[in-house]
Amino acid sequence: MATRPGTRGEAVAAFTRAVIKLEKEYLGRGPEDARTFFVEDLIIVRLRGILTPAEQELAKSDSGRELVKESRRRLFDTARVREQIADFTRAIIGCEIVSLHTDVSTRTGERLIVLTVDHDLDASFQDR
């Protein structure tokens, strides 16, 4: 296993790369932009530009918006995806996931992923 990143910035960058890789490999495309934030015991990931052109077209109607949100939720909410996220959280950050939450905005084409972890990340990266 690779050595964990030493600084907060290195850990944030590595975590962001892992999420982008997951999106590309599992969902078929990556986001146009991705940002990760560590706040106490939370990891917040904001992915922009994740919807395909077909999903953007579907999202123009109420029923299409619901279909896009539900299909994205189901794709993301599998044991395989959650296991991969838990694995790279453990490898990169050195902590366990307590809970995982996600939602997609069909209006903005963004996905937010919020992880609660079992460590205070502010304290973990305070001196590095």
Side-chain angles (χ1 to χ4, degrees):
M1 184 187 295
T3 305
R4 281 193 203 121
T7 68
R8 181 187 199 97
E10 291 168 342
V12 166
F15 198 89
T16 303
R17 284 191 303 272
V19 172
I20 291 169
K21 181 179 178 190
L22 175 68
E23 286 273 326
K24 284 181 180 177
E25 289 178 355
Y26 190 69
L27 299 173
R29 66 174 283 172
E32 293 172 4
D33 182 52
R35 305 280 168 99
T36 300
F37 307 91
F38 294 168
V39 181
E40 296 179 1
D41 63 344
L42 298 175
I43 300 172
I44 303 164
V45 182
R46 180 182 183 191
L47 305 172
R48 291 187 192 172
I50 64 160
L51 298 180
T52 66
E55 289 171 323
Q56 291 172 11
E57 189 62 33
L58 274 174
K60 291 179 180 177
S61 71
D62 289 341
S63 61
R65 279 188 291 280
E66 290 304 314
L67 180 62
V68 170
K69 285 179 79 69
E70 181 63 16
S71 64
R72 284 284 182 150
R73 185 193 63 75
R74 285 185 183 206
L75 284 170
F76 199 84
D77 198 23
T78 65
R80 178 177 167 214
V81 169
R82 288 180 179 266
E83 186 176 296
Q84 284 185 300
I85 293 172
D87 287 346
F88 67 70
T89 301
R90 199 175 300 112
I92 295 168
I93 312 298
C95 60
E96 299 295 325
I97 295 175
V98 175
S99 63
L100 184 153
H101 312 274
T102 185
D103 195 17
V104 174
S105 170
T106 54
R107 189 177 60 76
T108 63
E110 292 180 330
R111 173 192 296 281
L112 287 180
I113 303 167
V114 179
L115 304 168
T116 304
V117 296
D118 67 350
H119 284 76
D120 181 339
L121 300 172
D122 290 337
S124 296
F125 290 100
Q126 184 177 43
D127 298 323
R128 298 191 230 170

